[in-house]
Amino acid sequence: MDAVLKAEGLTKEFKGFVAVNKVDLTVERGSIHALIGPNGAGKTTCFNLLTKFLQPTRGTITYDGRDITRMAPADIARLGMVRSFQISAVFPDLSVLQNVRVALQRKRGDSYDFWRSERGLTQFDDEARAHIDAVGLSEFTDTRAGELSYGRKRALEIATTLALDPAMLLLDEPMAGMGQEDVERTSALIKRIAANRTILMVEHNLKVVADLSDKITVLARGEILAEGDYDTVSKSPDVIDAYIGAGHD
Amino acid sequence: MSVSDIQPETNERRPATAGMPKLHMAIFAVLFVVLAVLPMLVYPVFAMKVMCFALFAAAFNLLLGFGGLLSFGHAAYFGGASYVAAHASKVWGLSPELSIIAGTLAAGILGLAIGALAIRRQGIYFAMVTLAFAQMVYFFALQADFTGGEDGIQSVPRGSLFGIFPVDSNEALYYLVLAVTFGGILFLYRIVHSPFGQVLKAIRENEPRAISLGYRVNRYKLMVFVLSASFAGLAGATKSQVFQLASLTDVHWSMSGEVVLMTLLGGVGTVFGPLLGATIVVTMQNYLASMGAWVTVIQGVIFVLGVLLFREGIVGVISKWLKRPL
Ligand SMILES: Nc1ncnc2c1ncn2[C@@H]1O[C@H](COP(=O)(O)OP(=O)(O)OP(=O)(O)O)[C@@H](O)[C@H]1O
Ligand SMILES: [Mg+2]
């Protein structure tokens, strides 16, 4: 197995506060890799650094053998590494169908065609509906995304991300706010899409993490505490300490 | 016929891919008919002025309502184009359509230069950068030789359309202005309802998400800025042919403010709001012209009342009430 994403000495300081400290992370191609840790550990900040929404203070990032440390976030997505957001990110005033189509539109190329009718976008409808179906949102196809429940927004976000057919997905708490049924469906979906993709995900639901991930990295106070499969990590005294020390989350 | 064409109308849940909604089509049709007979009812120059400002406000609305960018320097494109078109007609002797094209292109190029610098800034800083550059354009117009300083460019000849059809009379010019402004407004409508417009809406609603999908949002912002500047220029260039004049008023910062006022009053982000807003403001200025400086005060009061009473603008409120986008 080879590494698809590699971070070395990744560090982010916010006005003197070190949110991520010398993190070395290697994500194997085709694996499901979980990033866990107590609240405020720096997981989302790591995601922001890896997808270049934040510029690291120090360290390097390599994706698919290419140094991406200085690249722009939109270009990271174009390389096939697409992220989701912890706070559900949909286009609230667009319908569910339109949300997914925005991704399909991008995949086709760019959409600077201001002189064409949007009617042409119906060419993406069938493909969009298939993605919407896969996350169980078919009956909401024409609903405004802003009107969906929280869990359904998350599902829409996954459908939109998958529409880009990315080689690598970074999912930030994809199941937060979902009911049991949706968690199960989303777990199954993630397992299925992982067949030919790499997934790095942040998730607080440890049962999901145990069930899905090939490898787990535990982060606390911006530093890596432990790494390995679920059994190794869950037995690590450092990890037990960190979780108990951080209180109840 | 595509599937969406035969879907029933169910207002807001209706997919946006069904072409122009019947309601919009009907309003545009009525508007066109009214404008076609308007010169028999009102003074044509007044009607032409309203149409030019309606186009100007619609162009501004593209940027603010759909690009989410508040420019406080749109007079630069409106007025800049007006000077270029006036100069083209008077000094170069170009026919009106070529002068209008020249003015529009100049505004687009100016928009490209200013926009490229401004879109790097956000929110109020963006507005300030656009204002600063517009002030530079104003001082240029005041100082440069070909702009005629305080006098502006006066007695611009109207010439003949394509060098063949004379448009000296207000009646003849009216139909040229109607074609240009109405066509411009319909084109702006198309931009909003194009694949490009769809991406603009996505960026406006959730910029980080659009970036994470791989959209280089600054290019879209620059593009919408240039388009908006160009159509503002089209409006200004046309106006210079109507009044046979390009003057400092057109590039003054208060002109930038007026277009903000028109758009907000009518309803930012709506299709018909800016047209109504422009009509109200121009009509008001026309009838209150004798009151001198009071016009500004009354305009200010109306603006404050309008914003307090209808936060979403007049058309915005009606649209909410009818539960249909207008
Ligand atoms: N832009 C910022 N400016 C200053 N501090 C920040 C910024 N972003 C994050 N932080 C801080 O960095 C730390 C790590 O935050 P981060 O959001 O990465 O944690 P997390 O592991 O994702 O937590 P959670 O599980 O609650 O999502 C926190 O203490 C947070 O307050
Ligand atoms: Mg987080």
Side-chain angles (χ1 to χ4, degrees):
Chain A
M1 277 231 201
D2 62 333
V4 60
L5 180 67
K6 205 174 161 106
E8 285 169 301
L10 203 58
T11 302
K12 181 68 189 179
E13 294 173 5
F14 293 113
K15 298 188 186 107
F17 171 74
V18 188
V20 171
N21 195 8
K22 298 186 202 114
V23 164
D24 295 316
L25 188 72
T26 305
V27 181
E28 302 288 342
R29 193 183 301 278
S31 69
I32 301 185
H33 192 135
L35 189 60
I36 66 169
N39 289 120
K43 306 179 295 290
T44 298
T45 307
C46 267
F47 267 31
N48 284 333
L49 293 172
L50 293 171
T51 50
K52 298 312 313 301
F53 275 74
L54 284 173
Q55 184 59 33
T57 313
R58 275 182 296 280
T60 57
I61 308 163
T62 333
Y63 174 73
D64 230 352
R66 188 198 302 239
D67 187 345
I68 59 164
T69 317
R70 306 242 142 244
M71 277 177 88
D75 295 325
I76 303 289
R78 285 158 175 263
L79 289 179
M81 176 155 89
V82 179
R83 68 170 297 178
S84 71
F85 292 82
Q86 180 168 354
I87 298 165
S88 86
V90 297
F91 304 115
D93 227 16
L94 304 187
S95 71
V96 167
L97 184 73
Q98 288 171 327
N99 264 267
V100 178
R101 276 196 330 211
V102 169
L104 293 170
Q105 231 178 305
R106 219 288 288 140
K107 200 175 67 176
R108 175 197 64 175
D110 264 303
S111 285
Y112 297 116
D113 40 358
F114 59 83
W115 58 91
R116 285 216 178 89
S117 164
E118 67 186 347
R119 221 179 290 211
L121 294 174
T122 48
Q123 62 175 301
F124 301 119
D125 283 2
D126 290 341
E127 201 181 341
R129 281 179 213 281
H131 288 293
I132 292 165
D133 217 23
V135 296
L137 287 179
S138 332
E139 59 178 303
F140 300 102
T141 308
D142 291 329
T143 307
R144 266 185 73 244
E147 288 165 16
L148 295 175
S149 70
Y150 189 78
R152 292 197 178 110
K153 279 188 189 136
R154 308 256 33 172
L156 172 58
E157 207 187 332
I158 294 175
T160 309
T161 306
L162 284 177
L164 285 177
D165 192 18
M168 174 154 193
L169 281 85
L170 279 75
L171 305 172
D172 199 349
E173 303 193 20
M175 296 170 209
M178 282 188 185
Q180 188 54 36
E181 194 187 325
D182 290 330
V183 167
E184 273 159 29
R185 193 203 351 258
T186 311
S187 277
L189 178 66
I190 290 178
K191 215 175 243 173
R192 193 166 64 210
I193 60 174
N196 51 353
R197 293 185 177 85
T198 311
I199 294 175
L200 176 62
M201 69 174 194
V202 170
E203 186 49 61
H204 280 300
N205 186 332
L206 290 183
K207 189 181 162 302
V208 169
V209 170
D211 188 33
L212 286 180
S213 24
D214 302 305
K215 191 173 171 188
I216 299 167
T217 299
V218 186
L219 211 61
R221 294 202 192 88
E223 294 182 31
I224 293 184
L225 216 54
E227 197 166 68
D229 61 18
Y230 187 75
D231 287 336
T232 321
V233 164
S234 61
K235 289 196 185 88
S236 154
D238 283 345
V239 174
I240 296 165
D241 266 7
Y243 266 86
I244 294 166
H248 331 274
D249 29 59
Chain B
M1 189 187 259
S2 69
V3 181
S4 55
D5 282 329
I6 50 176
Q7 271 177 3
E9 292 259 354
T10 54
N11 64 52
E12 72 260 30
R13 283 206 172 179
R14 181 177 167 283
T17 36
M20 193 191 277
K22 292 210 175 61
L23 182 60
H24 292 185
M25 222 182 274
I27 297 174
F28 275 125
V30 169
L31 218 53
F32 187 81
V33 172
V34 169
L35 288 171
V37 299
L38 201 59
M40 297 168 212
L41 307 171
V42 303
Y43 182 48
V45 172
F46 166 71
M48 288 190 275
K49 185 175 177 189
V50 170
M51 291 192 284
C52 290
F53 277 98
L55 176 60
F56 185 26
F60 179 79
N61 184 46
L62 174 69
L63 188 64
L64 179 59
F66 299 95
L69 297 168
L70 173 61
S71 157
F72 206 78
H74 253 45
Y77 318 108
F78 181 80
S82 148
Y83 273 102
V84 170
H87 184 79
S89 285
K90 191 171 180 180
V91 181
W92 300 338
L94 295 187
S95 53
E97 78 285 353
L98 291 178
S99 297
I100 290 173
I101 290 170
T104 307
L105 285 178
I109 292 166
L110 192 60
L112 182 63
I114 297 177
L117 295 164
I119 53 155
R120 293 158 196 263
R121 299 276 172 272
Q122 307 271 332
I124 187 73
Y125 300 103
F126 173 86
M128 279 160 61
V129 172
T130 54
L131 173 61
F133 280 109
Q135 285 306 92
M136 283 168 58
V137 172
Y138 175 82
F139 285 113
F140 180 83
L142 186 62
Q143 301 295 337
D145 285 335
F146 83 93
T147 54
E150 300 274 357
D151 300 331
I153 304 177
Q154 300 187 1
S155 347
V156 176
R158 279 182 180 172
S160 302
L161 186 60
F162 308 120
I164 306 169
F165 311 106
V167 285
D168 294 317
S169 76
N170 285 335
E171 287 69 25
L173 187 67
Y174 181 86
Y175 290 98
L176 171 64
V177 172
L178 174 60
V180 168
T181 54
F182 206 82
I185 287 165
L186 284 179
F187 200 97
L188 285 164
Y189 184 91
R190 166 51 73 82
I191 293 175
V192 169
H193 297 93
S194 69
F196 170 76
Q198 189 75 9
V199 177
L200 277 187
K201 275 176 222 158
I203 293 172
R204 184 193 59 187
E205 301 216 334
N206 194 333
E207 186 169 335
R209 182 53 171 162
I211 295 172
S212 82
L213 294 178
Y215 283 109
R216 293 162 170 156
V217 298
N218 274 355
R219 295 195 191 178
Y220 285 85
K221 289 183 183 173
L222 182 56
M223 183 100 143
V224 72
F225 194 94
V226 172
L227 286 168
S228 174
S230 303
F231 280 91
L234 180 62
T238 309
K239 181 181 166 275
S240 75
Q241 304 295 306
V242 174
F243 287 92
Q244 304 182 271
L245 170 75
S247 77
L248 286 174
T249 323
D250 299 338
V251 280
H252 195 253
W253 62 264
S254 59
M255 183 62 82
S256 299
E258 245 163 54
V259 76
V260 178
L261 168 79
M262 291 168 181
T263 308
L264 293 185
L265 190 64
V268 66
T270 64
V271 175
F272 301 101
L275 315 184
L276 182 64
T279 309
I280 294 174
V281 172
V282 174
T283 309
M284 216 163 64
Q285 285 171 345
N286 200 49
Y287 287 103
L288 301 178
S290 56
M291 305 183 75
W294 282 100
V295 179
T296 322
V297 177
I298 295 170
Q299 211 166 285
V301 170
I302 289 191
F303 179 60
V304 170
L305 283 179
V307 171
L308 288 179
L309 292 177
F310 321 101
R311 213 168 270 261
E312 283 124 2
I314 299 167
V315 172
V317 169
I318 298 174
S319 154
K320 229 184 187 171
W321 185 56
L322 292 177
K323 294 201 173 73
R324 277 168 168 247
L326 281 177

